[in-house]
Amino acid sequence: SENLLEVTGLKVHFPIRKGIVFDRTVGHVKAVDGISLGVSTGQTLGVVGESGCGKSTLGRAILRLEEPTSGTVKFNGQDITSLPAEKMRRLRRRMQMVFQDPLSSLDPRQSIESLLIEPLTVHGLAESDLEKIGRDSPANHRRKALNMLELVGLPASAMAKYPHEFSGGQRQRVGIARAMICSPDLVIADEPVSALDVSVQAQVINLLEDLQAELGVTYVVIAHDLAVVRHISDRIAVMYLGQVVEEAGSDELYEKPYHPYTVALMSAIPVPDPVVEDSRERILLEGDLPSPADPPSGCRFHTRCPWAREKCSQEDPELREIEPGRRVACHFAEEVAQKIADDREVEN
Ligand code: SF4
Ligand code: MG
């Protein structure tokens, strides 16, 4: 089917500035550095990578909350990269975002009712809702808000309450209801469960899945943890330093990873880290993520790759189609996949 979202050659480079009197650009952080991806209607694309790999910037650039440096974003066949602000504003209803931390994304002084109705006041009811519940009036906004609360599993009594009166998981339900209330076609969820207790993470992921089945919405779910996106995603894109290094159907990726970085993400052992606030952030590999302002030569992963050879620091591996519907950027992908398959056989 036709892709609802089509991203082609997307780059988001941020200038690094120095000097107070003579402000000059001394380099660029290549947060997103040439990404091409598609998501078809009603499907979920998982985007996975370490903190700092550019996945949040990618999500924000798709919604034009961040202006792309180059490349295109097509939504429903229309190139929105150069859309004037007014037209973009009208499209916003159809493209919404769920944030990591609902406590900081929800105004604490607003009641749940007011938080839910606000997007409707800004954008109005969607046409599909107008057909169902009639004209765009305060009473119908309230009906829609109540309906949405029920869909996210919160009682009607929640309307009069404030964000601090809820648990983290319930607050994220409010955040999701707020994103869904305008009946968007596309929702980008940036680390939707990473601020939540492990015990409620699955509930929120299940809620997102149920809402997709009910409303037919298309998702991009961003996470640093492959396990979080595994079940909800139809396809998964693995990002490293601003680029996609592997992309595949979710099951196929788990069945047969081709890229050494994907293998590392899969075998990562959770290590509590007292320095990182989110102690579930996993230590994936030896060494730090190199700076996206000055990425390594050749394959960007070569400084941390257990498979790296001479060729890797010299030649940038192209993102190539290795099997139908699968792309990977590694000179030695076939060898890696074979070794992983052999190792798995020995284990079993
Ligand atoms: Fe590792 Fe080389 Fe493949 Fe890059 S190209 S992932 S360094 S083996
Ligand atoms: Mg992020």
Side-chain angles (χ1 to χ4, degrees), residues 259-260 299 301-302 305 307-308 312 317 330-332:
H259 198 283
C299 174
F301 189 51
H302 87 259
C305 181
W307 290 79
C312 302
C330 170
H331 296 306
F332 305 106

Side-chain angles (χ1 to χ4, degrees), residues 185-299:
D185 302 302
L186 174 70
V187 168
I188 297 187
D190 187 7
E191 303 266 10
V193 299
S194 41
L196 304 177
D197 288 342
V198 178
S199 59
V200 290
Q201 289 191 349
Q203 293 169 20
V204 171
I205 291 291
N206 289 342
L207 171 66
L208 286 171
E209 281 194 296
D210 292 347
L211 289 172
Q212 185 172 53
E214 176 91 18
L215 308 168
V217 61
T218 304
Y219 289 141
V220 174
V221 179
I222 297 167
H224 62 260
D225 189 335
L226 204 42
V228 164
V229 294
R230 173 171 190 176
H231 294 289
I232 196 175
S233 302
D234 298 288
R235 299 186 62 77
I236 291 178
V238 179
M239 272 183 77
Y240 189 75
L241 275 181
Q243 299 182 328
V244 171
V245 294
E246 181 160 15
E247 195 224 342
S250 181
D251 294 341
E252 288 78 13
L253 189 81
Y254 275 86
E255 191 74 20
K256 189 180 183 186
Y258 275 106
H259 198 283
Y261 185 60
T262 311
V263 175
L265 284 177
M266 278 181 190
S267 58
I269 302 153
V271 181
D273 183 344
V275 183
V276 181
E277 199 187 296
D278 176 7
S279 63
R280 292 182 309 278
E281 178 96 25
R282 293 165 171 201
I283 293 173
L284 300 166
L285 288 157
E286 304 265 331
D288 293 331
L289 188 70
S291 165
D294 187 21
S297 63
C299 174

